[in-house]
Amino acid sequence: MIIAVDIGNSSINIGYFTEKGLLIQKIETHPLRKSGEYAPILKTFIEENSLEKGSIGVIISPVVIDHTGVLREAFKELEPEEIMIMGPEIKTGLIFDIPRPEELGSDRIANAVAAYEYHGSPVAVVDFGTATTISIVGKEANYIGGAILPGIRLMNESLARGTSKLSEVKLSPPEFALGTDTAGCIQSGLFYGTAGATERLLSEIEKETGLNLKVVVTGGFGNLLSGFLPREHYVVPNLTIEGLKIIYMRNSNA
């Protein structure tokens, strides 16, 4: 069994790749717990889902660095054959045509690996998460860059914090772009605005590069925002987890 761990800003997503398929466990990222508190949560999930207890390999994507060591210790309780941490030495199968690849988030790398593996290139990954990120793989399996903007929850929270009369709204898709009350106006801005910004960024990137991009959508808000994107795209909710598994297989010594 391969266990892929994506330590995100909002949640820790754990993918268990078993003979029966993929199971996902979610744990809130904050507050950070002790390793002795995570280990029973992991073991209980495995037992409740009757997962096989043979050979185990673990790969961790450390987007939130403070959690990495703690979770590594927690997973040691499962006695894995190998615990792999995403880092600069990891083989991904991609070429990084950017000035400072060490600054690139491991979740974005995993997304790009999976999108290229399953859909070929050129391909754009749009990850609608805490941040909305766009990652581009060019024609020759080369990661060439992307874009980052605030996610819809961050924008929602920021409006409430930064203004005197606006409050957070439910993150539900609006029926119309034309809002008729404050909540509807905010929802319109969040959903139509984010989708519009995403489409503009993709269009500008295509103009600058001459690429005709396939688009893969993922992230916690991917399903909610998918219907607002005007261009054809694939929705793959567990793209990061799938990418981590591919990377593990390319680097495993087990």
Side-chain angles (χ1 to χ4, degrees):
M1 177 168 64
I2 297 174
I3 303 176
V5 186
D6 175 28
I7 308 174
N9 291 296
S10 300
S11 65
I12 302 166
N13 300 316
I14 305 171
Y16 297 82
F17 291 90
T18 74
E19 294 177 355
K20 300 176 183 177
L22 172 62
L23 273 75
I24 300 292
Q25 179 183 22
K26 290 182 179 290
I27 303 170
E28 288 188 2
T29 302
H30 302 289
L32 174 62
R33 313 180 192 207
K34 296 179 181 179
S35 60
E37 296 177 79
Y38 286 112
I41 296 173
L42 303 173
K43 290 179 179 178
T44 298
F45 184 87
I46 289 172
E47 291 171 4
E48 288 179 347
N49 290 279
S50 302
L51 303 185
E52 60 258 29
K53 297 179 181 177
S55 172
I56 294 175
V58 178
I59 180 167
I60 299 175
S61 168
V63 174
V64 183
I65 301 296
D66 292 346
H67 289 58
T68 307
V70 174
L71 283 165
R72 185 209 291 261
E73 292 304 311
F75 277 101
K76 283 182 180 179
E77 296 289 322
L78 303 181
E79 300 182 353
E81 293 188 12
E82 190 172 11
I83 298 179
M84 192 180 298
I85 308 295
M86 285 280 288
E89 74 287 351
I90 289 283
K91 293 181 289 186
T92 65
L94 299 178
I95 301 165
F96 292 94
D97 284 343
I98 54 177
R100 291 181 290 278
E102 69 279 0
E103 294 180 359
L104 188 62
S106 56
D107 55 336
R108 295 179 71 189
I109 295 173
N111 282 341
V113 167
Y116 174 70
E117 180 76 9
Y118 297 135
H119 298 283
S121 64
V123 64
V125 178
V126 181
D127 188 337
F128 291 115
T130 303
T132 295
T133 65
I134 297 174
S135 303
I136 309 294
V137 179
K139 291 181 179 179
E140 305 298 330
N142 54 330
Y143 187 102
I144 58 174
I148 300 174
L149 60 154
I152 58 172
R153 182 167 60 197
L154 279 180
M155 287 192 281
N156 193 21
E157 293 170 350
S158 179
L159 281 171
R161 284 196 306 266
T163 62
S164 61
K165 292 188 177 182
L166 299 182
S167 301
E168 288 187 43
V169 298
K170 186 177 181 181
L171 292 176
S172 299
E175 188 175 355
F176 304 106
L178 180 64
T180 55
D181 57 18
T182 300
C185 289
I186 294 173
Q187 288 169 330
S188 174
L190 296 177
F191 283 84
Y192 284 101
T194 296
T198 300
E199 175 59 31
R200 176 64 185 275
L201 286 164
L202 292 171
S203 296
E204 290 298 322
I205 289 169
E206 287 179 325
K207 288 179 186 177
E208 291 171 2
T209 62
L211 299 174
N212 183 20
L213 296 168
K214 303 169 197 171
V215 177
V216 181
V217 169
T218 191
F221 300 110
N223 282 321
L224 285 176
L225 283 155
S226 171
F228 292 85
L229 287 179
R231 67 170 63 203
E232 182 180 348
H233 59 277
Y234 307 92
V235 180
V236 187
N238 299 311
L239 188 71
T240 309
I241 295 295
E242 294 281 357
L244 289 173
K245 178 198 174 185
I246 295 167
I247 292 168
Y248 180 87
M249 298 295 291
R250 288 178 179 164
N251 291 269
S252 177
N253 296 317

